[in-house]
């Protein structure tokens, strides 16, 4: 049966182009176009934005984004085997899909965004997903070039992204995301939704930038979160000893007996600013 967008079913596309999944590239494909539409819809209105997608693979999510009316999609794919399948989508949606063959970790996203409003949507390869997120959270200037990030991660990583203080998953990633964005968990996706199925449940998270995050040097924030969460069960007077311990904590007006996971993002910023 043909899909609603008039393109062939993804299973046929994968078979015809010999796209057997490569583990090293984190290839777990989504073939259900209802699910890919659900992910794309999480990003909100797409009509007036350029969508950047990392790792389109055979193009399931790409097709959903285009079907929902995105003005332009720029997709970065490392696996050249996927390019003919993506070219078929490009032909079906003239002038709306640009495919860049390359490693997303080496791409200057701001340069390819074309200057207009950008939303990033991706079912990320598990081995580079967190690094890409951190890069997007730390661009040269803030507010960033993107309006939102709608990203699929392993559920465990998703929980770390949206975690607040006093949550077991709260750590360096949660502080960074909480400092610069409003991050929320959108929904879970079970392993059997993918081909081949991964070992764990995945989650879609949605992040929107905070216009004016607390002013704070990233390097200082990273130093305090690294030291504090490096020994998360210890009291801060102990874990922060290399950075000044009790003196630093007194300066920031934080009880030295507290532990890393109890500190709010604001308090981490205060500590960073007192370094
Ligand atoms: N978007 C497709 C979907 O949802 O079915 C495929 C998602 S699959 C989890 C990850 C995709 O990212 C694969 O197509 C893989 O080839 C691609 N990929 C892996 N590493 C990459 C990298 N460093 N840069 C760009 N793409 C990469």
């Amino acid at each position: 049966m043909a899909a609603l967008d008039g393109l062939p079913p993804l299973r046929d596309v994968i078979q015809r182009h010999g796209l057997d999944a490569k583990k090293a590239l984190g290839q777990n494909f989504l073939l259900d176009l209802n699910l890919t539409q659900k992910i794309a819809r999480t990003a909100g209105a797409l009509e007036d934005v350029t969508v950047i997608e990392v790792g389109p693979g055979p193009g399931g999510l790409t097709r959903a984004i285009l079907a929902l009316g995105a003005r332009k999609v720029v997709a970065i794919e490392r696996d050249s085997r996927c390019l003919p399948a993506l070219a078929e989508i490009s032909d079906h949606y003239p002038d709306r899909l640009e495919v860049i063959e390359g490693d997303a970790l080496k791409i200057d996203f701001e340069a390819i965004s074309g200057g207009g409003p950008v939303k990033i949507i991706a079912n990320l390869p598990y081995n580079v997903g967190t690094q890409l997120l951190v890069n997007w959270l730390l661009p040269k200037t803030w507010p960033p070039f993107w309006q939102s990030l709608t990203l699929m991660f392993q559920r465990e990583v998703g929980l770390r992204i949206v975690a607040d203080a006093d949550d077991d998953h709260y750590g360096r990633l949660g502080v960074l995301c909480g400092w610069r964005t409003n991050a929320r968990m959108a929904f879970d996706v079970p392993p059997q939704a993918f081909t081949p199925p991964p070992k764990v449940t995945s989650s879609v998270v949605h992040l929107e930038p905070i216009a004016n995050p607390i002013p704070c040097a990233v390097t200082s924030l990273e130093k305090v979160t690294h030291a504090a969460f490096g020994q998360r069960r210890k009291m801060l007077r102990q874990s922060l000893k290399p950075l000044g311990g009790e003196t630093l904590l007194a300066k920031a007006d934080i009880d030295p007996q507290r532990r890393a996971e109890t500190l709010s993002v604001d308090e981490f910023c205060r500590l960073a600013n007192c370094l």
Side-chain angles (χ1 to χ4, degrees):
M1 199 178 68
L4 283 177
D5 59 8
L7 284 159
L10 280 160
R11 209 170 282 285
D12 294 0
V13 174
I14 288 173
Q15 204 174 30
R16 192 155 39 84
H17 294 285
L19 302 179
D20 47 308
K22 284 191 183 167
K23 208 171 172 192
L25 286 172
Q27 291 183 336
N28 300 98
F29 300 132
L30 289 171
L31 307 190
D32 177 352
L33 292 174
N34 289 318
L35 181 56
T36 55
Q37 289 223 3
K38 189 173 174 189
I39 298 170
R41 270 199 306 271
T42 304
L46 300 179
E47 288 81 4
D48 297 321
V49 299
T50 295
V51 174
I52 298 183
E53 186 193 359
V54 173
L61 185 53
T62 323
R63 282 166 61 170
I65 296 166
L66 287 162
L68 285 177
R71 186 181 62 189
K72 174 102 200 266
V73 179
V74 181
I76 302 135
E77 176 55 62
R78 194 173 181 177
D79 185 354
S80 60
R81 297 178 312 155
C82 298
L83 301 186
L86 294 167
E88 288 171 9
I89 304 174
S90 195
D91 290 345
H92 190 77
Y93 291 99
D95 301 325
R96 287 176 58 200
L97 172 62
E98 180 189 340
V99 180
I100 299 175
E101 182 186 355
D103 180 350
L105 286 174
K106 297 186 181 145
I107 295 277
D108 179 343
F109 282 88
E110 201 157 352
I112 62 163
S113 68
V118 170
K119 292 186 175 181
I120 298 179
I121 307 178
N123 171 13
L124 290 172
Y126 72 94
N127 48 350
V128 294
T130 312
Q131 186 58 56
L132 283 170
L133 171 62
V134 170
N135 295 351
W136 290 325
L137 291 174
L138 302 176
K140 283 174 227 128
T141 54
W142 196 269
F145 63 94
W146 45 267
Q147 280 186 355
S148 66
L149 308 172
T150 304
L151 309 170
M152 172 104 77
F153 286 96
Q154 295 178 337
R155 181 169 156 75
E156 185 63 25
V157 179
L159 289 171
R160 282 168 44 210
I161 290 169
V162 302
D164 284 326
D166 294 320
D167 178 327
D168 281 350
H169 294 90
Y170 187 53
R172 295 170 68 192
L173 193 58
V175 173
L176 186 58
C177 293
W179 173 44
R180 290 208 140 169
T181 72
N182 289 313
R184 69 176 171 86
M185 187 64 89
F187 55 92
D188 289 343
V189 182
Q192 58 274 20
F194 298 85
T195 302
K199 289 202 174 72
V200 294
T201 297
S202 301
S203 298
V204 174
V205 293
H206 182 76
L207 302 94
E208 293 184 2
I210 293 173
N212 297 303
I214 299 170
C216 173
V218 176
T219 44
S220 305
L221 187 63
E222 282 179 341
K223 270 188 200 153
V224 288
T225 55
H226 184 262
F229 287 109
Q231 303 183 66
R232 59 187 298 140
R233 302 282 166 226
K234 296 230 167 100
M235 288 182 200
L236 290 167
R237 68 168 177 229
Q238 177 66 31
S239 58
L240 293 184
K241 235 178 198 164
L243 300 178
E246 301 227 17
T247 314
L248 173 68
L249 287 155
K251 215 164 142 194
D253 194 20
I254 291 172
D255 180 348
Q257 301 205 29
R258 287 174 65 188
R259 292 176 170 76
E261 62 200 19
T262 72
L263 253 57
S264 67
V265 171
D266 292 13
E267 288 174 315
F268 271 114
C269 291
R270 219 157 72 212
L271 269 176
N273 285 329
C274 288
L275 255 194

